[in-house]
Amino acid sequence: AKGNGKSQYRFFHARLSERLVTRLTLQAELKRAVENRCLALYYQPRVHAGTGKLTSMEALVRWNHPERGIVPPDAFIPVAEATGLILPIGEQVIDMACRQLAEWQAAGVPVVPVSINVSPYQLEQQQVGAVLAAALQRYGIDAALLEVEVTESATVQQGTNAAGEVAAIKALGVKLYVDDFGTGYSSLSQLKRLDMDGLKVDRAFTGSLTHGASDVSLFRAIVSIGHAIGMTIVAEGVETREQLAILQELGCDEVQGYFISRPVPAADALALFGRRTLF
Ligand code: C2E
Ligand code: CA
Ligand code: CA
Ligand code: CA
């Protein structure tokens, strides 16, 4: 039994260091990827719920890995936050989004705002407002063509750097959306004080929308209260025609999700501008 315990210890030890090595490898690779600019943005359209007309493009970061192909953000954003790499990544994302907007404008298509995800860590550690202002100037982009999505947790504490950055972003004339709404703890009065422009209701709420389900009432309440404090309501993760129909009945303003379009590379996104509807 004693020997057994020892080998078990060795087993766990080996597994632990294996994970550590994986993590350190990932860190080193990510650092190189950032230096070599191996990150790219995909774009997912957001549309008017009634007409299907394009209202915004959400920029979603991807890592072009030489062996593993396209790596999704959930596989590296946590490591990026733990190592501080999220700061140069955040700057590259903002730079790429503005450069893309300038390219689309030069192509002569009727552009819509690009919406950028900013993590709580970035809001706390980075002068996001200043980074945005510099990028807008660098590419000659109007602030009205940028939007920023922040999660509830990032916005609730007063007097923090995050709160200051939210105010700085707002002062630029960049619209602010609360991302993953319903998963955090912000009160509506806090949201009202922060003067956010809209709520992106988390896809967990959208996913449970079927005719007759009690979640329909919940969503109706979010729309009604959100509208009462002047917010645009966006439903994330719309995957079915039925969900879309319910959201239209509820007076939800805008929708986004696989039913309309998956996130696509910039070249494919170009074809989505100027279309009468994406439904
Ligand atoms: P998010 O901001 O909530 O973005 C929505 C995610 O849901 C995206 O995953 C999108 O591809 C996916 N999605 C969209 N429609 C549907 C649908 O109908 N059904 C389902 N099941 N999923 C849908 P993605 O691109 O893998 O991004 C995951 C998360 O990574 C994002 O969640 C965001 O929190 C983070 N992220 C992405 N890009 C950035 C970035 O540039 N900076 C930072 N800090 N975080 C980012
Ligand atoms: Ca988002
Ligand atoms: Ca979201
Ligand atoms: Ca999210």
Side-chain angles (χ1 to χ4, degrees):
K2 210 174 166 196
N4 206 356
K6 199 169 178 186
S7 75
Q8 235 178 36
Y9 166 77
R10 274 212 204 93
F11 175 71
F12 282 123
H13 187 72
R15 293 256 302 204
L16 265 181
S17 40
E18 205 181 291
R19 250 189 289 160
L20 187 65
V21 168
T22 307
R23 197 189 147 83
L24 290 175
T25 307
L26 184 66
Q27 265 177 39
E29 284 187 341
L30 186 57
K31 186 158 183 285
R32 243 182 306 129
V34 173
E35 284 162 4
N36 299 334
R37 299 200 148 244
C38 293
L39 302 176
L41 295 179
Y42 272 42
Y43 294 89
Q44 188 181 34
R46 197 170 94 204
V47 302
H48 186 269
T51 65
K53 194 170 167 42
L54 183 67
T55 55
S56 166
M57 289 283 198
E58 180 174 3
L60 294 159
V61 72
R62 302 286 183 265
W63 174 6
N64 259 319
H65 192 279
E67 287 110 43
R68 280 183 280 158
I70 307 284
V71 181
D74 289 335
F76 66 90
I77 292 284
V79 172
E81 292 188 330
T83 54
L85 278 171
I86 191 69
L87 303 184
I89 290 175
E91 287 189 30
Q92 280 189 25
V93 164
I94 290 167
D95 183 83
M96 288 189 288
C98 290
R99 181 156 22 104
Q100 190 59 66
L101 268 167
E103 271 181 37
W104 282 329
Q105 277 185 322
V109 294
V111 291
V112 294
V114 167
S115 199
I116 295 172
N117 291 283
V118 172
S119 71
Y121 184 91
Q122 276 174 274
L123 273 186
E124 202 44 65
Q125 302 292 323
Q126 198 166 37
Q127 306 293 102
V128 182
V131 172
L132 285 168
L136 287 170
Q137 208 188 14
R138 189 153 62 245
Y139 295 102
I141 302 289
D142 190 334
L145 282 178
L146 276 194
E147 298 170 344
V148 165
E149 303 184 11
V150 297
T151 53
E152 285 171 71
S153 60
T155 59
V156 292
Q157 279 130 354
Q158 246 171 321
T160 57
N161 186 61
E165 288 306 316
V166 166
I169 294 165
K170 189 82 203 166
L172 286 174
V174 170
K175 282 199 172 134
L176 273 159
Y177 286 77
V178 179
D179 207 352
D180 306 339
F181 180 74
T183 60
Y185 297 96
S186 54
S187 70
L188 286 158
S189 63
Q190 280 165 329
L191 295 179
K192 190 169 152 59
R193 173 176 52 73
L194 284 164
D195 196 18
M196 306 295 280
D197 295 281
L199 302 179
K200 297 192 75 176
V201 183
D202 193 75
R203 70 165 181 268
F205 294 92
T206 311
S208 51
L209 288 180
T210 50
H211 279 112
S214 61
D215 288 39
V216 174
S217 313
L218 182 59
F219 215 111
R220 182 180 290 115
I222 294 174
V223 172
S224 150
I225 298 168
H227 279 167
I229 57 171
M231 305 259 194
T232 298
I233 311 297
V234 184
E236 300 191 295
V238 178
E239 293 183 350
T240 68
R241 182 172 295 284
E242 185 184 16
Q243 287 163 359
L244 174 63
I246 294 169
L247 291 162
Q248 288 170 329
E249 286 162 27
L250 295 182
C252 179
D253 301 292
E254 298 181 23
V255 292
Q256 190 177 24
Y258 294 169
F259 181 73
I260 297 104
S261 169
R262 292 197 171 243
V264 295
D268 298 346
L270 184 67
L272 303 175
F273 294 101
R275 293 226 325 234
R276 193 181 53 79
T277 178
L278 298 188
F279 288 157

